Amino acid sequence: MSSQVQHGYDHPSEIVLSDMEREYLGLIAQGQHPSRIAATTGHDEKDIRGVLDGARAKLGAANLLNAVSTALLRGLIDRDI
């Protein structure tokens, strides 16, 4: 019997997030809502959600909370940006 645990998902060894993906995920990690990010940055909320969805897909995350926690654990974002 193998001592390695197989999970139902893969973690690519190197995930590269764009500057905007890191920025928006970091703001979400600080507790900001996409509508607040839109108001602060002047970008359209739909565009912000699109960037966040792209980051979520790159991270293989099921949802935004999972994307933020994965990015934090992997050191891809800093909660205190």
Side-chain angles (χ1 to χ4, degrees), residues 3-24:
S3 63
Q4 293 182 341
V5 176
Q6 291 286 329
H7 298 284
Y9 52 91
D10 292 323
H11 288 294
S13 60
E14 182 157 341
I15 297 171
V16 179
L17 297 176
S18 71
D19 290 342
M20 195 170 284
E21 288 169 332
R22 287 195 320 273
E23 177 185 0
Y24 292 167

Side-chain angles (χ1 to χ4, degrees), residues 3-79:
S3 63
Q4 293 182 341
V5 176
Q6 291 286 329
H7 298 284
Y9 52 91
D10 292 323
H11 288 294
S13 60
E14 182 157 341
I15 297 171
V16 179
L17 297 176
S18 71
D19 290 342
M20 195 170 284
E21 288 169 332
R22 287 195 320 273
E23 177 185 0
Y24 292 167
L25 283 173
L27 292 170
I28 295 292
Q30 292 176 14
Q32 292 194 34
H33 188 272
S35 62
R36 172 77 174 147
I37 297 169
T40 303
T41 63
H43 295 120
D44 186 71
E45 183 178 350
K46 184 177 178 181
D47 293 337
I48 290 167
R49 288 184 181 275
V51 170
L52 290 168
D53 283 345
R56 183 193 53 73
K58 284 182 184 180
L59 293 164
N63 55 49
L64 190 53
L65 178 61
N66 183 228
V68 169
S69 63
T70 299
L72 284 167
L73 288 170
R74 291 174 164 265
L76 299 171
I77 62 170
D78 183 4
R79 191 176 71 202

